[in-house]
Amino acid sequence: MAVPVESEAPGGRDVVGAVLKACMLLGQFSADRPVWTLNDLTTASGMNKTTVFRLMATLVQAGWVNRTDEGAYRVAMPVFEIGSAALAKLDIRSAAKPFMSDLATTFGNTAYLMVPAEQGAVCIDLLEGRNSLVVAGINVGSVMPYHAAAGPIVMLAHSKELRDRWIKPGLPAITEQTITDVNLLVEHLDEIEDAGYSLSVSDYLPGVAAVAAPILGSDGAVLASISVGGRAEEFEGAALAAKIEKVCAAGARITRIVRAMPRA
């Protein structure tokens, strides 16, 4: 994540630039990349090497980061303790909220969080953007069929259990674009599973499009989907590519968060 760090930190005079930069460095560490060298941190952050060295030395002194025997950096126990405290009271809705807010703010569309249920996909939260299309019939508590709309379809694609229960001849056509043929639907779901996201255009509501990504548990089971939806013409070209990238990143981040939550 390259950051133009030599400029003034955003947020005005109340923001301490050095603290913000240190947080950006800590944000590079993840379960996939728990150890970083000075050179790699410098490249990834876009900061000056001397700045990175001084910030990391400060974090080591504070006990937030440890040095390995090879001289690389690894986050220390206080970071895990704070993370555990944050996760203790977290549920999937609160975990997804900042990502939904980011999607709605960035694109001006409506962000949705849906979970699987016996009768269909249930919308448990939504956030409207500044230019958001009011989508009739999709509200908190709405139950939607799994074979239409991006959020339900991406869950269907990633769940063998849902496929076995839901896919059968005679599925109703919600619009003219709804896929009801079993063979075509299975082929469509396989493509979605491989891609890691779903795109729907007018298959649930005419003129409405959406992009969705799954949120998966530690065992790979589908826990939810996060999506952004709006007018179909806003889901084309570069705008569509940006939405796909950001929705997929949100789904992946929320997946990591929920997998780290303490089990009930």
Side-chain angles (χ1 to χ4, degrees), residues 218-219 258-264:
S218 298
D219 58 356
V258 298
R259 287 179 175 180
M261 290 179 187
R263 294 185 179 181

Side-chain angles (χ1 to χ4, degrees), residues 102-148:
D102 185 34
L103 289 170
T105 300
T106 300
F107 301 118
N109 301 130
T110 302
Y112 299 92
L113 181 68
M114 301 182 186
V115 296
E118 182 70 24
Q119 298 303 316
V122 181
C123 179
I124 63 170
D125 202 2
L126 65 82
L127 286 176
E128 294 182 356
R130 62 190 178 280
N131 302 318
S132 186
L133 172 69
V134 178
V135 180
I138 304 181
N139 301 296
V140 173
S142 295
V143 181
M144 303 169 64
Y146 283 113
H147 67 293

Side-chain angles (χ1 to χ4, degrees), residues 147-257:
H147 67 293
I153 285 179
V154 82
M155 290 192 286
L156 183 63
H158 285 81
S159 173
K160 183 180 184 304
E161 179 184 356
L162 288 178
R163 290 197 192 204
D164 290 344
R165 282 200 288 114
W166 193 265
I167 300 176
K168 55 188 176 183
L171 289 172
I174 313 302
T175 73
E176 292 182 355
Q177 302 302 318
T178 308
I179 300 176
T180 58
D181 179 270
V182 169
N183 293 329
L184 291 178
L185 179 58
V186 169
E187 182 179 344
H188 182 52
L189 295 174
D190 289 344
E191 292 173 350
I192 290 171
E193 185 178 17
D194 290 341
Y197 70 90
S198 63
L199 168 64
S200 68
V201 181
S202 298
D203 65 344
Y204 184 72
L205 291 171
V208 175
V211 172
I215 299 168
L216 307 174
S218 298
D219 58 356
V222 172
L223 301 179
S225 69
I226 184 168
S227 59
V228 62
R231 294 178 178 85
E233 59 267 26
E234 298 175 355
F235 286 71
E236 299 175 351
L240 173 59
K243 289 170 183 177
I244 290 172
E245 181 179 4
K246 206 166 187 66
V247 169
C248 288
R253 287 285 302 279
I254 302 168
T255 290
R256 289 197 292 271
I257 291 170

